[in-house]
Amino acid sequence: MDFGVMALGALAALGAAAAPAGDGGDLNLGRMTRGYTYYNWPDADGAKHDADVKACLLAISDMRSAQEGFGGVGVLDALIAGARADSASRGVMSAGIENCMVVRGWRVVQLDDTEGAGLAALPSAELAAKLAPWIGAETPHGQVVRVWHNDAALASVNHFSLHAQHTRNGQLSVLAVGSTVSATLKADKAADRAAPKPERVKLDPKWPKKALKPELLDSAPPGSALIVVNIKGMSLRQGNGFSFNRVGADANVMPSTLDHAPDVLTAFVGTLGTSSGGNFLAFAVPPGRWRINSMVDGIMALNFCLGSPAFDVGAGEVVYVGQLDLKQERLLPGQELAPVRAWMGPAKAVERLRPATFTNGSQSHCASTSIYALEFEGAPFEPGYALGSKARAQ
């Protein structure tokens, strides 16, 4: 039995329940467009379509629902092994595939339910032949309901869905590529499973495990840096904070395995601890390059593995990320230094304070309950980055 085909068949059986973004609906990045959809990019050919769908299938392989996440089972691995993958996990994967394709520059096109259901019943080769002339059409068959809009930066967009509903057989593009990418997808996943896994790293105890209060800022370990962030506007819709991760010289090696220093920090504020003026959090970290990894709400995370702002911090520096207001109409860090200086008080570290300088387009391994990209308007991009707003014009 070909479990690669089974996996793709299960993935292709995913649709979505979020209202289309193009008709005034309430976009939710944790869900996918309801009904029957396929992906379109003017002038693109079938080879590019299939390659990007495969890339997105690989990208979502370690995603999992909040429910299944507690069991530690990779959703795609579970499907390939014929194990249980609950309905919420299927919804998570469907949303992940769509978000990935949108970030890669594809348009989501929705078909009439009757026509879509008929197409979904076809063998993959016949379905691929039907979609072929539509994939690269300037004006595609059906209705374009979603394109890239830097949606993660918009307060009007829901970032999380605890129950990512799906419509069976809704993703026609995934159904269509089943016979062409199942073997290579299976091989890629087998190679990934066979690769040696990094051992659990024990961090050097000199590193504080929690955010530092102002009176402790000058006690940071020698050679370390400080990252300060102000979180504001928490809600169930946008979350309660952000996680950050350190970027190593080798994308396949976590820096902590080399220096036993922290790779991740989470600037999270509980609902009861919020302040209307914002919530300052400071962290002692190893110097290097840090990126905004995800928005978090305590249970779920919107992972910016497909592109996010990153910044550098040197030894002894105090870098202010800024005020990240989750209810701001369009997220952009406010980096006025007077408020953070006042919060830091008499600490000598205030003399080394500077605002972070961001570069968009930092990528990482995809995981969590949903994936997308985040861009800060006006910031430059990593060399070679070609997703999000850098993909071909919509």
Side-chain angles (χ1 to χ4, degrees), residues 7 31 43 45 56 65 85 115 134 144 152 161 171 192 195 197 214 218 223 252 257 271 327 333 372 394:
R31 300 180 179 177
D43 298 325
D45 58 19
C56 288
S65 69
E115 180 181 25
W134 303 344
V144 176
S161 176
Q171 291 194 318
D192 180 64
K197 300 298 186 289
D218 291 334
N252 298 313
T257 62
T271 304
K327 290 184 178 179
Y372 203 61
Q394 307 286 347

Side-chain angles (χ1 to χ4, degrees), residues 173-189:
S173 281
V174 181
L175 278 173
V177 304
S179 61
T180 61
V181 306
S182 60
T184 52
L185 178 63
K186 180 181 177 182
D188 288 341
K189 286 305 297 176

Side-chain angles (χ1 to χ4, degrees), residues 116-274:
L119 291 171
L122 295 174
S124 61
E126 292 185 31
L127 175 57
K130 288 283 189 181
L131 295 182
W134 303 344
I135 287 171
E138 182 69 36
T139 304
H141 178 70
Q143 180 185 6
V144 176
V145 293
R146 190 176 171 201
V147 299
W148 163 260
H149 278 314
N150 196 20
D151 297 298
L154 304 180
S156 59
V157 171
N158 279 287
H159 295 122
F160 309 102
S161 176
L162 185 58
H163 301 290
Q165 300 97 330
H166 59 279
T167 299
R168 186 172 179 79
N169 293 326
Q171 291 194 318
L172 300 178
S173 281
V174 181
L175 278 173
V177 304
S179 61
T180 61
V181 306
S182 60
T184 52
L185 178 63
K186 180 181 177 182
D188 288 341
K189 286 305 297 176
D192 180 64
R193 288 194 300 273
K197 300 298 186 289
E199 297 182 4
R200 185 179 180 86
V201 176
K202 184 176 181 180
L203 297 184
D204 189 321
K206 75 176 184 179
W207 293 102
K209 295 182 178 180
K210 298 181 180 180
L212 299 177
K213 295 181 179 181
E215 58 269 24
L216 295 177
L217 295 178
D218 291 334
S219 66
S224 67
L226 291 174
I227 292 177
V228 185
V229 61
N230 184 3
I231 306 296
K232 184 180 180 183
M234 286 70 74
S235 71
L236 294 176
R237 185 185 184 98
Q238 282 82 26
N240 284 25
F242 294 81
S243 71
F244 299 76
N245 73 277
R246 184 162 54 121
V247 181
D250 184 337
N252 298 313
V253 178
M254 295 181 66
S256 59
T257 62
L258 304 176
D259 59 18
H260 297 274
D263 289 324
V264 178
L265 67 88
T266 302
F268 177 85
V269 181
T271 304
L272 297 179
T274 60

